[in-house]
Amino acid sequence: MNKQTSMKIDLELSGDSFEAAARLNLGGICEKEISFILNSDLDILSVTDGEDVSVPYIKNGELIPVFRALSQKILVKRDEPFSEICIRYRGSVQFDEEKKQNWHNAVTEDFVSLNWYSVWFPEDISVDIESDYVFVKNGHKWTVVKAEYDGINDVWVYGNKGFDPFNIVAYTKEKLSITENPFMKVFFIDESIEEAARGCADIYCEIINFYNNVLFERKDIPKLDVVCAYPYITSGGAYKRKDLMWCVSPGSDSLKQARLFAHETAHIWCCGADCSSWEDWLNETTAEWSALLFALYKKDDALFEEIIRPAVDSAPGLPPIKTADGSRPDGVHEKGTALFYKVYKKYGYETMVRMLQCFDRLKNRNTEEFIAALRAMGLGYAADILCEEIYK
């Protein structure tokens, strides 16, 4: 009986770079070749088998995967089969907004943020990985969010508990500040964030109450860990993974806080469409309109305008939502938000509520099923507006 396949990464942080050893165990299965991708800025030091014998590998071109950085394609291949390999590599994956690469990633002396977007670890591996761990060395120096500290080995152990695999956020203990309440825990370094960190719990609670008691089917919401990247990253948005939210900061005022938390929290319900294709417009549009409905519910005109105006203004210059090859075009977020706005202007708040509730109840989350479900619940007039734009 085969054991689980696994990837365990030893990660050593050093100033503005890191060194890693990714150990891939095939669970007793033997292969003659394995392929994966890795950020093109990372240097591979060696590839060895379970006996520490060198295994040949070749760089087989480059590609830019959806949402991710420029990556090198690696093929590990030899005549003798192997059941384990270790890839040692080093480098850095710093976020660069101008070049649009390595989103939300930083490696510094005091703050480290590593995630799937940068391909800092082997991705798109040709075998399925069932178990995943990261061991952050020199653990006494760091606090790693969502990880557990192993004092005997001085490592932080992360993974295999339903978290986003290999999503590492670490702060040096001497500079880390934490503010906590029953709803969230906020991690930050820069003292300018402290007031915002303490104040965002109230708006977050309002948002949860609206989504749970008015807009969507009720869910149990676990306590949220909010990790702040400022001042090491100062732009580039936010993302949410289960009960962790990454952001630059919680926002300098209540308006920015409401926009941030309303959209990201909505993804608890507004998800499930293929985010690597044009169908991602459903995830982003329903999340943005959840935030807009929250603004309308509160009669907060400033928040509504803060969200809707950029989308409406930019939509005419963006490519169509549906692409001929099924790929994800730029601007599906704004394009879809502006399209829903056409429905809102004609039919109002209650129709928008019903549309989002329709998506929330949808089992197969794609445009065809969504349109059919809208018609089935008597919202054919809204479906017609969507179809006229999407399928023109």
Side-chain angles (χ1 to χ4, degrees):
M1 183 175 179
N2 291 327
K3 300 176 182 178
Q4 280 190 326
T5 55
S6 65
M7 182 158 66
K8 299 179 180 180
I9 298 179
D10 292 325
L11 177 63
E12 187 166 1
L13 306 170
S14 177
D16 62 354
S17 65
F18 65 86
E19 186 165 322
R23 301 179 186 278
L24 177 60
N25 191 304
L26 304 184
I29 300 171
C30 289
E31 296 283 353
K32 290 186 177 181
E33 62 180 65
I34 294 288
S35 63
F36 59 88
I37 63 173
L38 195 66
N39 191 300
S40 288
D41 288 338
L42 298 174
D43 295 320
I44 295 178
L45 305 176
S46 67
V47 179
T48 55
D49 65 11
E51 304 298 323
D52 205 30
V53 175
S54 181
V55 181
Y57 70 92
I58 59 171
K59 295 182 180 180
N60 198 19
E62 290 186 320
L63 77 164
I64 303 177
V66 176
F67 289 129
R68 288 170 283 174
L70 178 67
S71 300
Q72 50 190 316
K73 297 191 291 183
I74 305 297
L75 177 65
V76 180
K77 183 177 181 179
R78 75 176 184 188
D79 293 335
E80 272 185 57
F82 49 85
S83 61
E84 184 177 345
I85 59 170
C86 177
I87 306 118
R88 296 183 181 276
Y89 56 97
R90 68 162 161 255
S92 189
V93 287
Q94 307 291 357
F95 167 59
D96 188 323
E97 184 172 28
E98 185 176 340
K99 293 181 180 178
K100 298 187 181 299
Q101 66 182 22
N102 301 330
W103 293 94
H104 318 302
N105 285 258
V107 184
T108 76
E109 287 282 0
D110 297 309
F111 171 75
V112 173
S113 177
L114 297 170
N115 57 48
W116 175 84
Y117 300 107
S118 68
V119 201
W120 78 269
F121 61 94
E123 295 185 28
D124 295 357
I125 303 171
S126 55
V127 296
D128 292 331
I129 301 301
E130 300 167 292
S131 172
D132 47 75
Y133 288 96
V134 178
F135 302 92
V136 181
K137 295 184 175 182
N138 302 316
H140 62 277
K141 176 183 176 181
W142 302 96
T143 292
V144 181
V145 182
K146 296 296 186 190
E148 295 180 0
Y149 181 58
D150 174 357
I152 295 176
N153 296 302
D154 192 27
V155 296
W156 284 88
V157 184
Y158 178 95
N160 215 43
K161 291 188 175 180
F163 306 137
D164 183 13
F166 313 111
N167 190 101
I168 302 298
V169 181
Y171 299 85
T172 52
K173 289 181 178 178
E174 62 178 311
K175 294 194 175 181
L176 173 63
S177 295
I178 299 174
T179 181
E180 187 172 6
N181 57 58
F183 311 106
M184 63 172 59
K185 181 189 278 190
V186 186
F187 299 77
F188 60 97
I189 285 182
D190 194 277
E191 61 183 12
S192 67
I193 287 177
E194 184 168 6
E195 184 177 351
R198 296 186 184 282
C200 62
D202 290 342
I203 190 67
Y204 178 67
C205 187
E206 284 188 66
I207 291 163
I208 290 294
N209 285 334
F210 173 67
Y211 289 166
N212 249 342
N213 299 316
V214 178
L215 189 56
F216 297 119
E217 292 186 4
R218 188 173 184 84
K219 292 182 182 288
D220 291 328
I221 308 298
K223 191 170 185 175
L224 182 67
D225 284 338
V226 180
V227 293
C228 303
Y230 188 84
Y232 306 98
I233 298 178
T234 58
S235 61
Y239 68 87
K240 189 174 184 301
R241 297 290 186 271
K242 198 181 176 184
D243 51 354
L244 180 141
M245 191 176 84
W246 188 103
C247 62
V248 172
S249 82
S252 57
D253 56 45
S254 59
L255 190 67
K256 290 181 174 60
Q257 289 175 3
R259 180 174 185 179
L260 171 68
F261 283 97
H263 178 91
E264 295 302 331
T265 303
H267 277 306
I268 295 173
W269 292 268
C270 303
C271 59
D274 181 2
C275 64
S276 66
S277 76
W278 68 275
E279 298 281 7
D280 190 41
W281 84 277
L282 289 167
N283 302 320
E284 295 299 339
T285 300
T286 53
E288 197 74 319
W289 265 93
S290 299
L292 286 162
L293 290 178
F294 173 70
L296 291 169
Y297 180 77
K298 285 176 57 67
K299 296 180 171 57
D300 189 335
D301 294 339
L303 177 58
F304 187 87
E305 285 300 310
E306 172 84 6
I307 299 170
I308 197 64
R309 194 50 48 199
V312 170
D313 289 347
S314 63
L318 294 170
I321 290 173
K322 188 178 186 303
T323 54
D325 62 359
S327 62
R328 185 186 190 276
D330 289 336
V332 289
H333 183 149
E334 295 80 4
K335 196 81 171 180
T337 299
L339 176 55
F340 268 37
Y341 187 52
K342 292 182 180 180
V343 180
Y344 168 72
K345 285 194 297 182
K346 194 165 185 179
Y347 297 109
Y349 175 86
E350 291 300 331
T351 289
M352 304 310 296
V353 168
R354 293 180 66 199
M355 286 178 67
L356 265 64
Q357 290 173 343
C358 175
F359 183 72
D360 182 35
R361 295 168 187 153
L362 201 62
K363 289 185 178 180
N364 299 315
R365 297 192 171 184
N366 59 62
T367 302
E368 183 178 351
E369 294 282 345
F370 181 53
I371 295 295
L374 288 175
R375 296 193 189 283
M377 66 185 295
L379 295 175
Y381 52 89
D384 288 342
I385 293 175
L386 302 186
C387 288
E388 184 179 352
E389 174 72 23
I390 294 169
Y391 296 115
K392 65 182 180 181

